Amino acid sequence: MSDLEQHPADTAWHRWAPIGQTLDATGVPDSGQAPSIAAFALRPLAEMLVPEKPRGGEADPAECHHCKPSRYTIWQDDLWRVSAGFDGGTGLPFVGAISPRQHVRLEDAPLDVLTTLGPVLQRVSEATKAIPSVARCHFSRWNDGSAHLHLWAYARPLGMMQGRGAILPYWEQCFPAMPDELLQEHLRIVADALAAGGGEAFPAAG
């Protein structure tokens, strides 16, 4: 494998991507640094205040945005929903939110939600990799913005070794938004691939 011949990836996304350019990291909160750096300085450790402010939908589930109908929903079945195409766009081939349709936390999610979490992640991973420019699908859960159980799916572009691992969400904040036509094409690929295994695909947001 050491003599493997490599060549630049060639998809619509790769031809659009600002490869070779230094990306603008000024939009990353509290950061003027590029995400691929050898070292960085932590900000001073802030005073830790309690009680913590409630997360979205924690004090009043009626205010939970995950529970409300959304124009960003690209697919759903009886238990799960996938949302993508958010305002502001993304430069990665796909970024989506996966959440149960029922307002639950991981701590109190019923068995039917928990037992279907693995299969729905598998389906989202495979659907995301149906986009020609995608090599891997990364999943993350930070659990600080909303009390409603949700995970994020990040498409790691084919050949982008700098995007391996936990650094990919930081790259996502630095990429310029891809053209809307390309974004909508990617959303449709993911939605249709998910619907092929059940559930309903929705028109892409836009």
Side-chain angles (χ1 to χ4, degrees):
M1 296 296 290
S2 58
D3 57 350
L4 179 68
E5 237 181 86
Q6 293 186 301
H7 58 83
D10 185 24
T11 69
W13 184 88
H14 286 90
R15 290 189 291 273
W16 162 80
I19 294 169
Q21 299 179 27
T22 300
L23 301 182
D24 180 8
T26 58
V28 181
D30 298 316
S31 173
Q33 299 173 316
S36 185
I37 52 179
F40 60 91
L42 288 173
R43 299 179 68 200
L45 189 61
E47 185 178 16
M48 300 179 191
L49 306 176
V50 293
E52 296 183 358
K53 294 180 180 179
R55 298 169 294 175
E58 192 163 35
D60 184 0
E63 296 179 355
C64 176
H65 70 272
H66 287 286
C67 293
K68 298 174 182 177
S70 170
R71 67 187 181 94
Y72 302 116
T73 298
I74 64 169
W75 172 88
Q76 69 181 25
D77 64 8
D78 291 340
L79 292 174
W80 291 93
R81 172 182 293 128
V82 175
S83 304
F86 305 109
D87 291 342
T90 181
L92 294 184
F94 180 80
V95 174
I98 306 151
S99 59
R101 297 182 65 181
Q102 182 181 354
H103 185 79
V104 295
R105 303 173 304 162
L106 180 62
E107 295 88 340
D108 58 18
L111 192 59
D112 58 349
V113 170
L114 294 176
T115 55
T116 53
L117 175 58
V120 81
L121 293 182
Q122 182 184 59
R123 291 175 64 186
V124 170
S125 177
E126 293 306 297
T128 301
K129 289 188 289 184
I131 299 171
S133 55
V134 175
R136 302 277 187 269
C137 180
H138 294 186
F139 293 105
S140 63
R141 174 180 178 263
W142 287 289
N143 195 33
D144 276 325
S146 172
H148 190 126
L149 169 62
H150 65 287
L151 296 93
W152 290 93
Y154 289 87
R156 200 264 287 164
L158 187 65
M160 187 183 174
M161 296 297 99
Q162 288 172 300
R164 290 177 297 174
I167 199 69
L168 189 60
Y170 293 92
W171 277 108
E172 195 272 335
Q173 294 182 70
C174 297
F175 266 103
M178 76 177 90
D180 188 64
E181 182 180 352
L182 186 58
L183 172 64
Q184 299 303 326
E185 179 186 342
H186 288 184
L187 297 184
R188 175 52 58 194
I189 289 171
V190 174
D192 288 348
L194 285 168
E200 181 181 4
F202 292 87

